[in-house]
Amino acid sequence: MALGGKTMFLLSVFTSILMWAYLNYPGPPLSFELREWKRTGKFFSHSDFKIFFRDMNGTGRPEDVAFCVHGFPTASYDFAKVWEGLNGKFGRVIASDMLGLGFSDKPYGHNYTISEQASIIERLLKQLAVEEVHILSHDLGDTVAQELLRRFLYRQKSSSKGAQYLKIKSLCLMNGVHMIYGPADPVNPPVFVDRYRELLPQATITVLDERIGHYPHWEDPMAVLMAYFGFLEKVSPLTQPQATGET
Ligand SMILES: *[C@@H]1O[C@H](CO)[C@@H](O)[C@H](O)[C@H]1NC(C)=O
Ligand SMILES: *[C@@H]1O[C@H](CO)[C@@H](O)[C@H](O)[C@H]1NC(C)=O
């Protein structure tokens, strides 16, 4: 058993070294695209923490504002491939990184809650003076978006006028409930669509090509934009530009 004890000892030393190397190894440098994403964004303070966000004017009407809520464990960069398309439709497109993800602070031992993530977004939108918003969300972002919707519906019901600051004009959830769905999603397999249709017969859903999985906006950005704009047209059409009268 002497050998066994020695082997165990060597193994544990080896494991400790590996663990140390893993915890201390510097992360890979950011790609050019990620550095650009960060450079063209900003930070705002939420208590002691810094929250990264991007806020850009698009070519649509200024009152048409889109807010993108990413999923877990990724970040706002998920929306990079649909960003230009959204900018072509909306007057303003905003996305933030959740606390603990992306370029936002990641406080260790913090009690991360959906409620706090929703409050961060409400505060950001208030600070940016956004009063009406179309929300496009994905994955964990769907849960945060539903919390935002719950609060909005509550505010709408309660008569306190002061609290009427954020109006949600539409909510589009990706792979979570209009829904844009990739059937190859291992997180929400196709039986999920049947169940969803059963539960919400009034709801709309777009099922994409069978090759599309859990990240439709990354895997097929054009199809997502077409589905999303089709949905908006149905539930909450964006304001139409005035006829310019050009000749
Ligand atoms: C974005 O648009 C708003 C009004 O619609 C304007 O006040 C603001 O200056 C614009 N921002 C940029 C960076 O062009
Ligand atoms: C985290 O916050 C939730 C909601 O406020 C609370 O129920 C829970 O007890 C907290 N957990 C810890 C470890 O503080």
Side-chain angles (χ1 to χ4, degrees), residues 63-119:
E63 58 270 32
D64 292 332
V65 181
F67 189 86
C68 307
V69 196
H70 68 83
F72 178 86
T74 48
S76 60
Y77 187 67
D78 283 357
F79 293 96
K81 291 186 180 178
V82 291
W83 194 263
E84 283 308 313
L86 293 173
N87 262 313
K89 196 84 173 176
F90 289 93
R92 191 173 182 184
V93 182
I94 309 166
S96 62
D97 285 351
M98 288 192 202
L99 183 66
L101 292 165
F103 296 126
S104 292
D105 280 352
K106 302 165 189 67
Y108 180 71
H110 185 74
N111 189 5
Y112 291 90
T113 60
I114 295 296
S115 166
E116 182 176 27
Q117 303 285 9
S119 299

Coordinates of all heavy atoms in Angstrom, one line a residue, residues 63-119:
E63 N -38.4 57.1 -32.0 CA -39.3 56.6 -31.0 C -39.4 55.0 -31.0 O -39.9 54.4 -30.0 CB -40.7 57.1 -31.0 CG -41.4 56.9 -32.3 CD -41.2 58.1 -33.3 OE1 -40.1 58.7 -33.3 OE2 -42.1 58.4 -34.1
D64 N -38.8 54.4 -32.0 CA -38.8 52.9 -32.1 C -37.5 52.4 -31.5 O -36.5 52.5 -32.1 CB -39.0 52.4 -33.5 CG -40.3 52.7 -34.1 OD1 -41.3 52.8 -33.3 OD2 -40.5 52.9 -35.3
V65 N -37.6 52.0 -30.2 CA -36.3 51.6 -29.5 C -36.4 50.0 -29.3 O -37.3 49.5 -28.8 CB -36.2 52.3 -28.2 CG1 -34.9 51.9 -27.5 CG2 -36.2 53.8 -28.4
A66 N -35.3 49.4 -29.7 CA -35.1 47.9 -29.4 C -34.2 47.7 -28.3 O -33.1 48.4 -28.2 CB -34.7 47.2 -30.6
F67 N -34.5 46.8 -27.4 CA -33.5 46.4 -26.3 C -33.3 44.9 -26.4 O -34.3 44.1 -26.3 CB -34.1 46.9 -24.9 CG -33.0 46.7 -23.9 CD1 -32.1 47.7 -23.6 CD2 -32.9 45.5 -23.2 CE1 -31.1 47.5 -22.7 CE2 -31.9 45.3 -22.2 CZ -31.0 46.3 -22.0
C68 N -32.0 44.5 -26.5 CA -31.7 43.1 -26.6 C -31.2 42.6 -25.3 O -30.3 43.1 -24.7 CB -30.6 42.9 -27.6 SG -31.0 43.7 -29.2
V69 N -31.7 41.4 -24.8 CA -31.3 40.8 -23.6 C -30.7 39.4 -23.9 O -31.4 38.5 -24.3 CB -32.5 40.6 -22.6 CG1 -32.0 40.3 -21.2 CG2 -33.4 41.9 -22.6
H70 N -29.4 39.3 -23.7 CA -28.7 38.0 -24.0 C -29.0 36.9 -23.0 O -29.6 37.1 -22.0 CB -27.2 38.3 -24.1 CG -26.6 38.6 -22.8 ND1 -26.2 37.6 -22.0 CD2 -26.3 39.8 -22.2 CE1 -25.7 38.2 -20.9 NE2 -25.7 39.5 -21.0
G71 N -28.5 35.7 -23.3 CA -28.7 34.6 -22.5 C -27.5 34.2 -21.7 O -26.5 34.9 -21.6
F72 N -27.5 33.0 -21.1 CA -26.5 32.5 -20.2 C -25.8 31.4 -21.0 O -26.4 30.5 -21.6 CB -27.1 31.9 -18.9 CG -26.0 31.3 -18.0 CD1 -25.3 32.1 -17.1 CD2 -25.7 30.0 -18.1 CE1 -24.4 31.5 -16.3 CE2 -24.8 29.4 -17.3 CZ -24.1 30.2 -16.4
P73 N -24.4 31.3 -21.0 CA -23.5 32.1 -20.3 C -22.8 33.1 -21.2 O -21.6 33.3 -21.1 CB -22.5 31.1 -19.8 CG -22.4 30.0 -20.9 CD -23.8 30.1 -21.6
T74 N -23.5 33.7 -22.1 CA -22.9 34.6 -23.1 C -23.1 36.0 -22.8 O -23.3 36.4 -21.6 CB -23.3 34.2 -24.5 OG1 -24.8 34.1 -24.5 CG2 -22.7 32.9 -25.0
A75 N -23.1 36.9 -23.8 CA -23.2 38.3 -23.6 C -23.8 39.1 -24.8 O -24.3 38.4 -25.7 CB -21.7 38.9 -23.4
S76 N -23.9 40.4 -24.7 CA -24.6 41.2 -25.7 C -24.0 40.9 -27.1 O -24.7 41.1 -28.1 CB -24.5 42.7 -25.4 OG -23.1 43.1 -25.3
Y77 N -22.7 40.5 -27.1 CA -22.1 40.2 -28.4 C -22.9 39.2 -29.3 O -22.7 39.1 -30.5 CB -20.6 39.8 -28.2 CG -19.9 39.7 -29.5 CD1 -19.6 40.8 -30.3 CD2 -19.4 38.5 -30.0 CE1 -18.9 40.7 -31.5 CE2 -18.7 38.3 -31.2 CZ -18.5 39.5 -31.9 OH -17.8 39.4 -33.1
D78 N -23.7 38.4 -28.6 CA -24.6 37.4 -29.3 C -25.4 38.1 -30.4 O -25.7 37.5 -31.4 CB -25.6 36.8 -28.3 CG -25.1 35.8 -27.4 OD1 -23.9 35.4 -27.5 OD2 -25.8 35.3 -26.5
F79 N -25.6 39.4 -30.2 CA -26.5 40.1 -31.1 C -25.7 40.8 -32.3 O -26.3 41.5 -33.0 CB -27.4 41.1 -30.4 CG -28.4 40.5 -29.5 CD1 -28.1 40.3 -28.1 CD2 -29.6 40.0 -30.0 CE1 -29.0 39.7 -27.3 CE2 -30.5 39.4 -29.2 CZ -30.2 39.2 -27.8
A80 N -24.4 40.5 -32.3 CA -23.5 41.2 -33.3 C -24.0 41.0 -34.7 O -24.0 41.9 -35.5 CB -22.1 40.7 -33.1
K81 N -24.5 39.8 -35.0 CA -24.9 39.4 -36.4 C -26.2 40.0 -36.8 O -26.6 40.0 -38.0 CB -24.8 37.9 -36.6 CG -23.4 37.4 -36.6 CD -23.4 35.9 -36.9 CE -22.0 35.3 -36.9 NZ -22.1 33.9 -37.2
V82 N -27.1 40.4 -35.8 CA -28.4 40.9 -36.2 C -28.4 42.5 -35.9 O -29.4 43.1 -36.2 CB -29.6 40.3 -35.4 CG1 -29.8 38.8 -35.9 CG2 -29.4 40.3 -33.9
W83 N -27.3 43.0 -35.4 CA -27.2 44.4 -35.0 C -27.5 45.3 -36.1 O -28.3 46.2 -36.0 CB -25.8 44.7 -34.4 CG -25.8 45.9 -33.6 CD1 -25.3 47.1 -34.1 CD2 -26.2 46.2 -32.2 NE1 -25.5 48.1 -33.1 CE2 -26.0 47.5 -32.0 CE3 -26.8 45.3 -31.3 CZ2 -26.3 48.1 -30.7 CZ3 -27.1 45.9 -30.0 CH2 -26.8 47.3 -29.8
E84 N -26.8 45.1 -37.3 CA -27.0 46.0 -38.4 C -28.5 46.0 -38.9 O -29.1 47.0 -39.2 CB -26.1 45.6 -39.6 CG -24.7 46.1 -39.3 CD -24.6 47.6 -39.0 OE1 -25.2 48.4 -39.7 OE2 -23.9 47.9 -38.0
G85 N -29.0 44.7 -38.9 CA -30.4 44.6 -39.4 C -31.4 45.3 -38.4 O -32.3 46.0 -38.9
L86 N -31.1 45.2 -37.1 CA -32.0 45.9 -36.2 C -31.9 47.4 -36.3 O -32.8 48.2 -36.3 CB -31.6 45.5 -34.7 CG -32.0 44.0 -34.4 CD1 -31.4 43.7 -33.0 CD2 -33.5 43.8 -34.4
N87 N -30.6 47.8 -36.6 CA -30.3 49.3 -36.8 C -31.0 49.8 -38.0 O -31.3 51.0 -38.1 CB -28.8 49.5 -36.9 CG -28.2 50.0 -35.6 OD1 -28.7 50.8 -35.0 ND2 -27.1 49.3 -35.3
G88 N -31.3 49.0 -39.0 CA -31.9 49.4 -40.2 C -33.4 49.6 -40.0 O -34.1 50.2 -40.8
K89 N -34.0 49.0 -38.9 CA -35.4 49.0 -38.7 C -35.8 50.0 -37.6 O -36.8 50.7 -37.6 CB -35.8 47.6 -38.3 CG -37.3 47.3 -38.4 CD -37.7 47.0 -39.8 CE -39.2 46.6 -40.0 NZ -39.5 46.3 -41.4
F90 N -35.0 50.0 -36.5 CA -35.3 50.8 -35.3 C -34.5 52.1 -35.3 O -33.5 52.2 -36.0 CB -34.9 50.0 -34.0 CG -35.8 48.8 -33.7 CD1 -35.5 47.6 -34.2 CD2 -37.0 49.0 -33.0 CE1 -36.3 46.5 -33.9 CE2 -37.8 47.9 -32.8 CZ -37.5 46.7 -33.2
G91 N -35.0 53.1 -34.6 CA -34.3 54.3 -34.5 C -33.2 54.3 -33.4 O -32.3 55.1 -33.4
R92 N -33.3 53.3 -32.6 CA -32.3 53.1 -31.5 C -32.2 51.7 -31.1 O -33.3 51.1 -30.9 CB -32.7 54.0 -30.4 CG -31.6 54.2 -29.3 CD -32.1 55.2 -28.3 NE -31.2 55.5 -27.3 CZ -31.3 56.3 -26.2 NH1 -32.5 56.9 -26.1 NH2 -30.4 56.5 -25.3
V93 N -31.0 51.1 -31.0 CA -30.9 49.7 -30.5 C -29.9 49.7 -29.3 O -28.8 50.3 -29.4 CB -30.3 48.8 -31.7 CG1 -30.2 47.4 -31.2 CG2 -31.2 48.9 -32.9
I94 N -30.4 49.1 -28.3 CA -29.6 49.0 -27.0 C -29.4 47.6 -26.6 O -30.4 46.8 -26.8 CB -30.3 49.8 -25.9 CG1 -30.6 51.2 -26.4 CG2 -29.4 49.9 -24.7 CD1 -31.6 52.0 -25.5
A95 N -28.3 47.3 -26.0 CA -28.1 45.9 -25.4 C -27.1 46.1 -24.3 O -26.2 46.9 -24.3 CB -27.5 45.0 -26.5
S96 N -27.3 45.3 -23.2 CA -26.4 45.4 -22.1 C -25.9 44.0 -21.8 O -26.5 43.0 -22.1 CB -27.1 46.0 -20.9 OG -28.1 45.2 -20.5
D97 N -24.7 43.9 -21.1 CA -24.3 42.7 -20.6 C -24.8 42.5 -19.1 O -24.7 43.4 -18.3 CB -22.7 42.6 -20.5 CG -22.1 42.5 -21.9 OD1 -22.9 42.2 -22.9 OD2 -20.9 42.6 -22.0
M98 N -25.3 41.3 -18.8 CA -25.9 41.1 -17.5 C -24.7 41.2 -16.5 O -23.6 40.9 -16.8 CB -26.5 39.7 -17.4 CG -27.8 39.6 -18.1 SD -28.7 38.1 -17.6 CE -29.7 37.9 -19.0
L99 N -25.0 41.6 -15.3 CA -24.1 41.5 -14.2 C -23.6 40.1 -14.1 O -24.3 39.1 -14.1 CB -24.8 41.9 -12.8 CG -23.9 42.0 -11.6 CD1 -22.8 43.1 -11.7 CD2 -24.7 42.1 -10.3
G100 N -22.2 39.9 -14.1 CA -21.6 38.6 -14.0 C -21.3 38.0 -15.4 O -20.7 36.9 -15.4
L101 N -21.6 38.7 -16.5 CA -21.3 38.2 -17.8 C -20.8 39.3 -18.7 O -20.9 40.5 -18.5 CB -22.6 37.6 -18.4 CG -23.1 36.3 -17.7 CD1 -24.6 36.0 -18.1 CD2 -22.2 35.1 -18.0
G102 N -20.1 38.8 -19.8 CA -19.6 39.8 -20.8 C -18.6 40.7 -20.2 O -17.7 40.4 -19.4
F103 N -18.7 42.0 -20.5 CA -17.8 43.1 -20.1 C -18.3 43.7 -18.7 O -17.6 44.6 -18.2 CB -17.6 44.1 -21.1 CG -16.9 43.7 -22.4 CD1 -17.5 43.9 -23.6 CD2 -15.7 43.0 -22.3 CE1 -16.9 43.4 -24.8 CE2 -15.1 42.5 -23.5 CZ -15.7 42.7 -24.7
S104 N -19.4 43.3 -18.2 CA -19.9 43.8 -17.0 C -19.1 43.2 -15.8 O -18.5 42.1 -16.0 CB -21.4 43.5 -16.8 OG -22.1 44.2 -17.7
D105 N -19.1 43.8 -14.7 CA -18.4 43.3 -13.5 C -19.0 41.9 -13.1 O -20.2 41.6 -13.4 CB -18.6 44.3 -12.3 CG -17.6 45.4 -12.4 OD1 -16.7 45.4 -13.3 OD2 -17.7 46.4 -11.6
K106 N -18.1 41.1 -12.5 CA -18.5 39.8 -12.1 C -18.2 39.6 -10.6 O -17.3 38.9 -10.2 CB -17.8 38.7 -12.9 CG -18.1 38.9 -14.4 CD -17.1 38.1 -15.2 CE -17.2 38.5 -16.7 NZ -16.8 39.9 -17.0
P107 N -18.9 40.3 -9.7 CA -18.6 40.2 -8.3 C -18.7 38.8 -7.7 O -19.7 38.1 -8.0 CB -19.6 41.1 -7.6 CG -20.7 41.3 -8.6 CD -20.1 41.2 -9.9
Y108 N -17.6 38.4 -7.1 CA -17.5 37.0 -6.5 C -18.4 36.9 -5.3 O -18.4 37.8 -4.5 CB -16.0 36.7 -6.2 CG -15.8 35.3 -5.6 CD1 -15.9 34.2 -6.5 CD2 -15.5 35.2 -4.3 CE1 -15.8 32.9 -6.0 CE2 -15.3 33.9 -3.8 CZ -15.5 32.8 -4.6 OH -15.3 31.5 -4.1
G109 N -19.1 35.8 -5.2 CA -20.0 35.5 -4.0 C -21.2 36.4 -4.0 O -21.9 36.4 -3.0
H110 N -21.5 37.1 -5.1 CA -22.7 37.9 -5.1 C -23.9 37.0 -5.3 O -23.8 36.0 -5.9 CB -22.5 38.9 -6.3 CG -23.6 39.9 -6.5 ND1 -23.7 41.0 -5.6 CD2 -24.7 40.0 -7.3 CE1 -24.8 41.7 -6.0 NE2 -25.4 41.1 -7.0
N111 N -25.0 37.5 -4.7 CA -26.3 36.7 -4.9 C -27.0 37.2 -6.2 O -27.7 38.2 -6.2 CB -27.1 37.0 -3.6 CG -28.4 36.1 -3.6 OD1 -28.5 35.2 -4.4 ND2 -29.2 36.4 -2.6
Y112 N -26.7 36.5 -7.3 CA -27.2 36.9 -8.6 C -28.7 36.5 -8.7 O -29.0 35.3 -8.4 CB -26.4 36.2 -9.7 CG -25.0 36.7 -9.8 CD1 -24.0 36.1 -9.1 CD2 -24.7 37.8 -10.7 CE1 -22.7 36.6 -9.3 CE2 -23.5 38.3 -10.8 CZ -22.4 37.7 -10.1 OH -21.1 38.2 -10.2
T113 N -29.5 37.4 -9.0 CA -31.0 37.1 -9.1 C -31.5 37.7 -10.4 O -31.0 38.7 -11.0 CB -31.8 37.7 -8.0 OG1 -31.6 39.1 -8.0 CG2 -31.3 37.2 -6.6
I114 N -32.6 37.1 -10.9 CA -33.3 37.5 -12.1 C -33.8 38.9 -11.8 O -33.8 39.8 -12.6 CB -34.5 36.6 -12.4 CG1 -34.0 35.2 -12.8 CG2 -35.4 37.2 -13.5 CD1 -33.2 35.2 -14.1
S115 N -34.3 39.1 -10.6 CA -34.9 40.4 -10.2 C -33.9 41.5 -10.3 O -34.2 42.6 -10.8 CB -35.5 40.2 -8.8 OG -35.8 41.5 -8.2
E116 N -32.7 41.3 -9.9 CA -31.7 42.3 -9.9 C -31.3 42.6 -11.4 O -31.2 43.8 -11.8 CB -30.4 41.9 -9.2 CG -29.4 43.0 -9.2 CD -28.1 42.8 -8.4 OE1 -27.8 41.6 -8.2 OE2 -27.5 43.7 -7.9
Q117 N -31.2 41.5 -12.2 CA -30.9 41.8 -13.6 C -32.0 42.6 -14.3 O -31.7 43.5 -15.1 CB -30.8 40.4 -14.4 CG -29.7 39.5 -13.8 CD -28.3 39.8 -14.1 OE1 -28.0 40.9 -14.6 NE2 -27.4 38.9 -13.7
A118 N -33.2 42.4 -13.9 CA -34.3 43.2 -14.5 C -34.3 44.6 -14.0 O -34.5 45.6 -14.7 CB -35.7 42.6 -14.1
S119 N -33.9 44.8 -12.7 CA -33.8 46.2 -12.1 C -32.7 46.9 -12.8 O -32.8 48.1 -13.1 CB -33.5 46.1 -10.6 OG -34.6 45.4 -10.0

